[in-house]
Amino acid sequence: SIDDILRHAEHFLNLGGERTLAIGADFDGADMPSDIDGIVTIPAIYQRFLGYFGAKLTKNIFFDNANMYFTNFDNIS
């Protein structure tokens, strides 16, 4: 559920994952809970994170952390 995602994120953040946690949307083939209907649910998940973690951390989780990874590490040979 969205609450489960929030709790997992909170646990990861408590371990120091502020600059590494990133939300993905690969739901293909997954057994989804009733409150998550694939990628169309991302805005609702974002809003829950925004209300719980605030704007800066939520932006990191939903964009900046993944962008940093792909910019800095994806092209290493």
Side-chain angles (χ1 to χ4, degrees):
S1 70
I2 294 174
D3 288 335
D4 290 331
I5 294 171
L6 192 68
R7 282 192 299 274
H8 282 290
E10 184 174 38
H11 175 71
F12 198 82
L13 293 169
N14 286 334
L15 296 173
E18 295 86 6
R19 299 299 294 154
T20 57
L21 178 61
I23 295 292
D26 184 6
F27 300 123
D28 188 34
D31 185 20
M32 302 305 296
S34 62
D35 66 338
I36 298 177
D37 191 27
I39 196 164
V40 298
T41 309
I42 291 294
I45 297 170
Y46 182 88
Q47 288 301 316
R48 288 290 295 280
F49 273 64
L50 190 60
Y52 196 81
F53 295 119
K56 180 168 177 33
L57 185 52
T58 298
K59 185 175 180 282
N60 286 345
I61 294 169
F62 278 79
F63 177 74
D64 290 339
N65 292 345
N67 185 57
M68 181 180 63
Y69 172 81
F70 289 117
T71 299
N72 294 318
F73 303 109
D74 193 37
N75 293 321
I76 294 176
S77 300

